[in-house]
Amino acid sequence: MTHASAHKMLDAYPKDLGSIDQHKLAECIAASFDCAQACTACADACLSEDMVAELTKCIRTDLDCADICTATGNVLSRHTGYDANVTRAVLQACATVCKTCADECERHADMHSHCRICAEACRRCENACNELLAALD
């Protein structure tokens, strides 16, 4: 989901979203889905590398990050019956896995541009999650 789509969907929501920072929410939704795509593509690219055996941790971390980012984007896209405790837990988990994945991908970024691109997407998502978390408190 693009940043613009996330904003449009938030604007179209029929009920009041309360005091949540809609800009940060839209940013986080878009960053989550963008990161999930980058991680999925990076894991696949790692599987195509000649030195795939040396990239097993990167692949595993990419796939874990993609799953958690997708779940985060989905949870953040739902507002009916909102539970702030669930949102906080999901954001914390997403920020943690994005940091871990970015750290792992950065280890390979000099040799593999897909790892560099993935690490950048992970850092953006980590930051977006942390910014939204700070805005919730």
Side-chain angles (χ1 to χ4, degrees):
M1 174 178 281
T2 66
H3 175 75
S5 295
H7 265 294
K8 287 177 185 175
M9 290 305 294
L10 290 171
D11 289 342
Y13 188 71
K15 303 276 186 191
D16 181 12
L17 289 172
S19 62
I20 195 162
D21 185 322
Q22 288 189 31
H23 177 74
K24 287 182 180 174
L25 177 59
E27 287 288 328
C28 197
I29 292 168
S32 295
F33 288 127
D34 182 59
C35 189
Q37 187 281 325
C39 288
T40 300
C42 186
D44 183 66
C46 286
L47 288 170
S48 295
E49 294 290 351
D50 292 335
M51 55 185 283
V52 68
E54 296 174 32
L55 296 169
T56 56
K57 184 176 180 186
C58 190
I59 294 164
R60 167 63 191 267
T61 307
D62 280 338
L63 296 175
D64 288 348
C65 192
D67 288 345
I68 292 172
C69 285
T70 298
T72 299
N74 288 339
V75 168
L76 294 178
S77 295
R78 295 188 285 259
H79 309 288
T80 303
Y82 172 77
D83 185 331
N85 291 324
V86 172
T87 299
R88 279 187 195 89
V90 169
L91 288 169
Q92 288 166 344
C94 192
T96 298
V97 75
C98 284
K99 180 186 182 328
T100 300
C101 193
D103 290 348
E104 179 61 28
C105 281
E106 284 170 354
R107 293 181 54 233
H108 311 285
D110 289 341
M111 288 178 50
H112 307 295
S113 59
H114 53 84
C115 286
R116 178 187 47 78
I117 294 165
C118 185
E120 291 167 358
C122 288
R123 292 288 181 218
R124 278 191 304 275
C125 189
E126 176 190 8
N127 290 335
C129 287
N130 285 328
E131 286 182 18
L132 184 56
L133 264 170
L136 293 178
D137 295 330

